[in-house]
Amino acid sequence: MCNLGVLWHDRAGDATTALALRRRFVEELRRHDGWQIDEEAAKIIFTELVANAALHAPGAIDITVTCADNSISLQVKDSGSAFEWNPRLPPPISESGRGVFIVSRFAESVDVKAVPSGKMVTAILPRRLHS
């Protein structure tokens, strides 16, 4: 059981800076190899959640990795409005809407909730299938 709480946190002033934090996010996951996190899936989840925040809520983005109840979660908090989590593949000609669907396919679970200054999306990162 992991109850370490917050493992890593950073705040980016904008989307470009937030996306650049992906390397530090991955480094933090690698420091704790006993967690058996699927690193490639975690990178996709990170990129899609940060890109979604950048597209729908310009401004500062808080990114946090936590460990509780033997799960590692990625939280992305921004100034946007909460939305109903309803992942589905958009029509083939759609220019948007794939990020939520992609995250739903890689994360073990996802939660979206309103917070005082915007919304927070929490994704439970998947474990590797093989050691």
Side-chain angles (χ1 to χ4, degrees), residues 70-100:
N70 210 26
S71 294
I72 306 300
S73 65
L74 169 64
Q75 298 169 332
V76 177
K77 181 179 166 195
D78 61 45
S79 62
S81 300
F83 58 93
E84 182 180 337
W85 182 255
N86 185 15
R88 61 182 179 268
L89 192 58
I93 60 172
S94 178
E95 293 184 13
S96 64
R98 287 174 184 77
V100 167

mmCIF file of all heavy atoms in Angstrom, residues 70-100:
data_model
loop_
_atom_site.group_PDB
_atom_site.id
_atom_site.type_symbol
_atom_site.label_atom_id
_atom_site.label_comp_id
_atom_site.label_asym_id
_atom_site.label_seq_id
_atom_site.Cartn_x
_atom_site.Cartn_y
_atom_site.Cartn_z
ATOM 1 N N ASN A 70 -2.071 2.311 -3.074
ATOM 2 C CA ASN A 70 -1.370 1.516 -4.084
ATOM 3 C C ASN A 70 -1.649 1.963 -5.515
ATOM 4 O O ASN A 70 -1.549 1.175 -6.449
ATOM 5 C CB ASN A 70 -1.670 0.023 -3.920
ATOM 6 C CG ASN A 70 -0.521 -0.830 -4.386
ATOM 7 O OD1 ASN A 70 0.627 -0.393 -4.373
ATOM 8 N ND2 ASN A 70 -0.812 -2.039 -4.811
ATOM 9 N N SER A 71 -2.028 3.215 -5.693
ATOM 10 C CA SER A 71 -2.250 3.781 -7.013
ATOM 11 C C SER A 71 -1.455 5.068 -7.150
ATOM 12 O O SER A 71 -1.290 5.809 -6.180
ATOM 13 C CB SER A 71 -3.731 4.108 -7.233
ATOM 14 O OG SER A 71 -4.494 2.938 -7.257
ATOM 15 N N ILE A 72 -1.011 5.319 -8.355
ATOM 16 C CA ILE A 72 -0.338 6.570 -8.671
ATOM 17 C C ILE A 72 -1.289 7.378 -9.541
ATOM 18 O O ILE A 72 -1.789 6.885 -10.548
ATOM 19 C CB ILE A 72 0.972 6.325 -9.441
ATOM 20 C CG1 ILE A 72 1.871 5.351 -8.692
ATOM 21 C CG2 ILE A 72 1.686 7.651 -9.731
ATOM 22 C CD1 ILE A 72 2.284 5.807 -7.328
ATOM 23 N N SER A 73 -1.546 8.619 -9.146
ATOM 24 C CA SER A 73 -2.459 9.441 -9.928
ATOM 25 C C SER A 73 -1.770 10.701 -10.424
ATOM 26 O O SER A 73 -0.851 11.218 -9.800
ATOM 27 C CB SER A 73 -3.705 9.810 -9.120
ATOM 28 O OG SER A 73 -3.364 10.626 -8.025
ATOM 29 N N LEU A 74 -2.240 11.157 -11.561
ATOM 30 C CA LEU A 74 -1.804 12.408 -12.162
ATOM 31 C C LEU A 74 -2.991 13.356 -12.092
ATOM 32 O O LEU A 74 -4.083 13.022 -12.551
ATOM 33 C CB LEU A 74 -1.394 12.185 -13.620
ATOM 34 C CG LEU A 74 -1.168 13.444 -14.467
ATOM 35 C CD1 LEU A 74 0.002 14.261 -13.922
ATOM 36 C CD2 LEU A 74 -0.948 13.069 -15.919
ATOM 37 N N GLN A 75 -2.771 14.523 -11.507
ATOM 38 C CA GLN A 75 -3.823 15.535 -11.408
ATOM 39 C C GLN A 75 -3.398 16.762 -12.204
ATOM 40 O O GLN A 75 -2.281 17.247 -12.035
ATOM 41 C CB GLN A 75 -4.059 15.926 -9.953
ATOM 42 C CG GLN A 75 -4.522 14.766 -9.103
ATOM 43 C CD GLN A 75 -4.486 15.098 -7.621
ATOM 44 O OE1 GLN A 75 -3.693 15.917 -7.177
ATOM 45 N NE2 GLN A 75 -5.341 14.449 -6.875
ATOM 46 N N VAL A 76 -4.301 17.222 -13.049
ATOM 47 C CA VAL A 76 -4.059 18.438 -13.825
ATOM 48 C C VAL A 76 -5.174 19.415 -13.469
ATOM 49 O O VAL A 76 -6.350 19.144 -13.699
ATOM 50 C CB VAL A 76 -4.028 18.147 -15.344
ATOM 51 C CG1 VAL A 76 -3.847 19.435 -16.123
ATOM 52 C CG2 VAL A 76 -2.908 17.157 -15.671
ATOM 53 N N LYS A 77 -4.777 20.538 -12.897
ATOM 54 C CA LYS A 77 -5.733 21.554 -12.450
ATOM 55 C C LYS A 77 -5.533 22.804 -13.291
ATOM 56 O O LYS A 77 -4.406 23.254 -13.499
ATOM 57 C CB LYS A 77 -5.502 21.862 -10.974
ATOM 58 C CG LYS A 77 -6.446 22.874 -10.391
ATOM 59 C CD LYS A 77 -6.120 23.077 -8.930
ATOM 60 C CE LYS A 77 -6.806 24.310 -8.410
ATOM 61 N NZ LYS A 77 -6.260 24.736 -7.124
ATOM 62 N N ASP A 78 -6.654 23.356 -13.777
ATOM 63 C CA ASP A 78 -6.588 24.570 -14.585
ATOM 64 C C ASP A 78 -7.766 25.466 -14.255
ATOM 65 O O ASP A 78 -8.576 25.155 -13.390
ATOM 66 C CB ASP A 78 -6.526 24.229 -16.077
ATOM 67 C CG ASP A 78 -7.751 23.471 -16.565
ATOM 68 O OD1 ASP A 78 -8.884 23.861 -16.219
ATOM 69 O OD2 ASP A 78 -7.584 22.478 -17.290
ATOM 70 N N SER A 79 -7.880 26.572 -14.967
ATOM 71 C CA SER A 79 -8.931 27.553 -14.676
ATOM 72 C C SER A 79 -10.231 27.294 -15.438
ATOM 73 O O SER A 79 -11.166 28.078 -15.337
ATOM 74 C CB SER A 79 -8.421 28.959 -15.027
ATOM 75 O OG SER A 79 -8.132 29.030 -16.415
ATOM 76 N N GLY A 80 -10.296 26.225 -16.183
ATOM 77 C CA GLY A 80 -11.489 25.929 -16.980
ATOM 78 C C GLY A 80 -12.638 25.382 -16.162
ATOM 79 O O GLY A 80 -12.501 25.059 -14.985
ATOM 80 N N SER A 81 -13.770 25.257 -16.815
ATOM 81 C CA SER A 81 -14.966 24.726 -16.175
ATOM 82 C C SER A 81 -14.937 23.206 -16.179
ATOM 83 O O SER A 81 -14.459 22.580 -17.130
ATOM 84 C CB SER A 81 -16.220 25.179 -16.922
ATOM 85 O OG SER A 81 -16.291 26.582 -16.929
ATOM 86 N N ALA A 82 -15.460 22.617 -15.121
ATOM 87 C CA ALA A 82 -15.573 21.158 -15.060
ATOM 88 C C ALA A 82 -16.517 20.695 -16.163
ATOM 89 O O ALA A 82 -17.362 21.449 -16.636
ATOM 90 C CB ALA A 82 -16.089 20.721 -13.696
ATOM 91 N N PHE A 83 -16.352 19.478 -16.585
ATOM 92 C CA PHE A 83 -17.190 18.918 -17.636
ATOM 93 C C PHE A 83 -17.544 17.483 -17.270
ATOM 94 O O PHE A 83 -16.887 16.871 -16.430
ATOM 95 C CB PHE A 83 -16.482 18.966 -18.999
ATOM 96 C CG PHE A 83 -15.160 18.240 -19.034
ATOM 97 C CD1 PHE A 83 -15.102 16.905 -19.431
ATOM 98 C CD2 PHE A 83 -13.979 18.878 -18.678
ATOM 99 C CE1 PHE A 83 -13.886 16.227 -19.461
ATOM 100 C CE2 PHE A 83 -12.772 18.211 -18.708
ATOM 101 C CZ PHE A 83 -12.724 16.885 -19.100
ATOM 102 N N GLU A 84 -18.566 16.983 -17.885
ATOM 103 C CA GLU A 84 -18.970 15.603 -17.637
ATOM 104 C C GLU A 84 -18.017 14.672 -18.365
ATOM 105 O O GLU A 84 -17.749 14.843 -19.557
ATOM 106 C CB GLU A 84 -20.397 15.365 -18.130
ATOM 107 C CG GLU A 84 -20.890 13.967 -17.860
ATOM 108 C CD GLU A 84 -22.303 13.752 -18.346
ATOM 109 O OE1 GLU A 84 -23.058 14.731 -18.486
ATOM 110 O OE2 GLU A 84 -22.639 12.582 -18.595
ATOM 111 N N TRP A 85 -17.490 13.699 -17.647
ATOM 112 C CA TRP A 85 -16.565 12.731 -18.244
ATOM 113 C C TRP A 85 -17.393 11.718 -19.022
ATOM 114 O O TRP A 85 -18.071 10.872 -18.459
ATOM 115 C CB TRP A 85 -15.736 12.040 -17.159
ATOM 116 C CG TRP A 85 -14.743 11.084 -17.722
ATOM 117 C CD1 TRP A 85 -14.826 9.729 -17.714
ATOM 118 C CD2 TRP A 85 -13.524 11.402 -18.387
ATOM 119 N NE1 TRP A 85 -13.739 9.179 -18.337
ATOM 120 C CE2 TRP A 85 -12.913 10.188 -18.762
ATOM 121 C CE3 TRP A 85 -12.895 12.596 -18.718
ATOM 122 C CZ2 TRP A 85 -11.700 10.134 -19.439
ATOM 123 C CZ3 TRP A 85 -11.690 12.531 -19.388
ATOM 124 C CH2 TRP A 85 -11.105 11.313 -19.739
ATOM 125 N N ASN A 86 -17.366 11.842 -20.327
ATOM 126 C CA ASN A 86 -18.153 10.976 -21.200
ATOM 127 C C ASN A 86 -17.313 10.656 -22.440
ATOM 128 O O ASN A 86 -17.567 11.173 -23.521
ATOM 129 C CB ASN A 86 -19.466 11.679 -21.581
ATOM 130 C CG ASN A 86 -20.370 10.780 -22.372
ATOM 131 O OD1 ASN A 86 -20.189 9.569 -22.417
ATOM 132 N ND2 ASN A 86 -21.362 11.366 -23.018
ATOM 133 N N PRO A 87 -16.285 9.815 -22.260
ATOM 134 C CA PRO A 87 -15.373 9.571 -23.378
ATOM 135 C C PRO A 87 -16.020 8.763 -24.502
ATOM 136 O O PRO A 87 -16.643 7.739 -24.270
ATOM 137 C CB PRO A 87 -14.232 8.782 -22.736
ATOM 138 C CG PRO A 87 -14.824 8.161 -21.531
ATOM 139 C CD PRO A 87 -15.919 9.071 -21.069
ATOM 140 N N ARG A 88 -15.874 9.281 -25.687
ATOM 141 C CA ARG A 88 -16.327 8.559 -26.879
ATOM 142 C C ARG A 88 -15.524 9.084 -28.063
ATOM 143 O O ARG A 88 -15.076 10.221 -28.074
ATOM 144 C CB ARG A 88 -17.823 8.726 -27.100
ATOM 145 C CG ARG A 88 -18.266 10.145 -27.320
ATOM 146 C CD ARG A 88 -19.786 10.229 -27.477
ATOM 147 N NE ARG A 88 -20.199 11.576 -27.657
ATOM 148 C CZ ARG A 88 -20.566 12.408 -26.684
ATOM 149 N NH1 ARG A 88 -20.588 11.998 -25.458
ATOM 150 N NH2 ARG A 88 -20.922 13.638 -26.951
ATOM 151 N N LEU A 89 -15.362 8.226 -29.023
ATOM 152 C CA LEU A 89 -14.610 8.592 -30.208
ATOM 153 C C LEU A 89 -15.434 9.567 -31.041
ATOM 154 O O LEU A 89 -16.592 9.288 -31.359
ATOM 155 C CB LEU A 89 -14.279 7.342 -31.019
ATOM 156 C CG LEU A 89 -13.268 7.494 -32.135
ATOM 157 C CD1 LEU A 89 -11.937 8.016 -31.603
ATOM 158 C CD2 LEU A 89 -13.067 6.164 -32.841
ATOM 159 N N PRO A 90 -14.869 10.719 -31.389
ATOM 160 C CA PRO A 90 -15.624 11.684 -32.196
ATOM 161 C C PRO A 90 -15.728 11.197 -33.643
ATOM 162 O O PRO A 90 -15.013 10.280 -34.053
ATOM 163 C CB PRO A 90 -14.786 12.951 -32.099
ATOM 164 C CG PRO A 90 -13.413 12.476 -31.840
ATOM 165 C CD PRO A 90 -13.546 11.208 -31.040
ATOM 166 N N PRO A 91 -16.585 11.818 -34.421
ATOM 167 C CA PRO A 91 -16.687 11.455 -35.839
ATOM 168 C C PRO A 91 -15.326 11.597 -36.534
ATOM 169 O O PRO A 91 -14.515 12.450 -36.148
ATOM 170 C CB PRO A 91 -17.692 12.460 -36.399
ATOM 171 C CG PRO A 91 -18.451 12.952 -35.207
ATOM 172 C CD PRO A 91 -17.514 12.882 -34.046
ATOM 173 N N PRO A 92 -15.070 10.816 -37.559
ATOM 174 C CA PRO A 92 -13.768 10.842 -38.241
ATOM 175 C C PRO A 92 -13.347 12.221 -38.751
ATOM 176 O O PRO A 92 -12.161 12.523 -38.784
ATOM 177 C CB PRO A 92 -13.943 9.877 -39.407
ATOM 178 C CG PRO A 92 -15.056 8.979 -38.998
ATOM 179 C CD PRO A 92 -15.960 9.803 -38.118
ATOM 180 N N ILE A 93 -14.292 13.059 -39.133
ATOM 181 C CA ILE A 93 -13.923 14.373 -39.675
ATOM 182 C C ILE A 93 -13.785 15.449 -38.593
ATOM 183 O O ILE A 93 -13.427 16.576 -38.893
ATOM 184 C CB ILE A 93 -14.943 14.828 -40.742
ATOM 185 C CG1 ILE A 93 -16.345 14.929 -40.156
ATOM 186 C CG2 ILE A 93 -14.894 13.891 -41.944
ATOM 187 C CD1 ILE A 93 -17.357 15.554 -41.089
ATOM 188 N N SER A 94 -14.037 15.104 -37.352
ATOM 189 C CA SER A 94 -13.930 16.062 -36.259
ATOM 190 C C SER A 94 -12.478 16.468 -36.039
ATOM 191 O O SER A 94 -11.568 15.645 -36.121
ATOM 192 C CB SER A 94 -14.489 15.449 -34.973
ATOM 193 O OG SER A 94 -14.338 16.353 -33.915
ATOM 194 N N GLU A 95 -12.272 17.750 -35.764
ATOM 195 C CA GLU A 95 -10.926 18.252 -35.518
ATOM 196 C C GLU A 95 -10.564 18.236 -34.039
ATOM 197 O O GLU A 95 -9.445 18.603 -33.668
ATOM 198 C CB GLU A 95 -10.791 19.666 -36.077
ATOM 199 C CG GLU A 95 -10.863 19.705 -37.591
ATOM 200 C CD GLU A 95 -10.640 21.090 -38.144
ATOM 201 O OE1 GLU A 95 -10.185 21.978 -37.400
ATOM 202 O OE2 GLU A 95 -10.924 21.274 -39.334
ATOM 203 N N SER A 96 -11.470 17.822 -33.182
ATOM 204 C CA SER A 96 -11.177 17.773 -31.749
ATOM 205 C C SER A 96 -11.990 16.655 -31.098
ATOM 206 O O SER A 96 -12.798 15.999 -31.747
ATOM 207 C CB SER A 96 -11.514 19.121 -31.099
ATOM 208 O OG SER A 96 -12.903 19.368 -31.202
ATOM 209 N N GLY A 97 -11.748 16.463 -29.822
ATOM 210 C CA GLY A 97 -12.531 15.494 -29.069
ATOM 211 C C GLY A 97 -11.868 14.147 -28.857
ATOM 212 O O GLY A 97 -12.427 13.278 -28.197
ATOM 213 N N ARG A 98 -10.679 13.971 -29.397
ATOM 214 C CA ARG A 98 -10.028 12.667 -29.257
ATOM 215 C C ARG A 98 -9.258 12.509 -27.950
ATOM 216 O O ARG A 98 -9.044 11.397 -27.483
ATOM 217 C CB ARG A 98 -9.097 12.423 -30.434
ATOM 218 C CG ARG A 98 -9.849 12.130 -31.701
ATOM 219 C CD ARG A 98 -8.925 12.022 -32.907
ATOM 220 N NE ARG A 98 -9.705 11.824 -34.127
ATOM 221 C CZ ARG A 98 -10.372 12.776 -34.753
ATOM 222 N NH1 ARG A 98 -10.363 14.001 -34.283
ATOM 223 N NH2 ARG A 98 -11.060 12.517 -35.847
ATOM 224 N N GLY A 99 -8.823 13.607 -27.355
ATOM 225 C CA GLY A 99 -8.007 13.543 -26.140
ATOM 226 C C GLY A 99 -8.683 12.814 -25.001
ATOM 227 O O GLY A 99 -8.080 11.949 -24.358
ATOM 228 N N VAL A 100 -9.925 13.145 -24.735
ATOM 229 C CA VAL A 100 -10.671 12.505 -23.653
ATOM 230 C C VAL A 100 -10.811 11.006 -23.933
ATOM 231 O O VAL A 100 -10.632 10.172 -23.045
ATOM 232 C CB VAL A 100 -12.053 13.177 -23.469
ATOM 233 C CG1 VAL A 100 -12.967 12.354 -22.597
ATOM 234 C CG2 VAL A 100 -11.876 14.581 -22.892
#
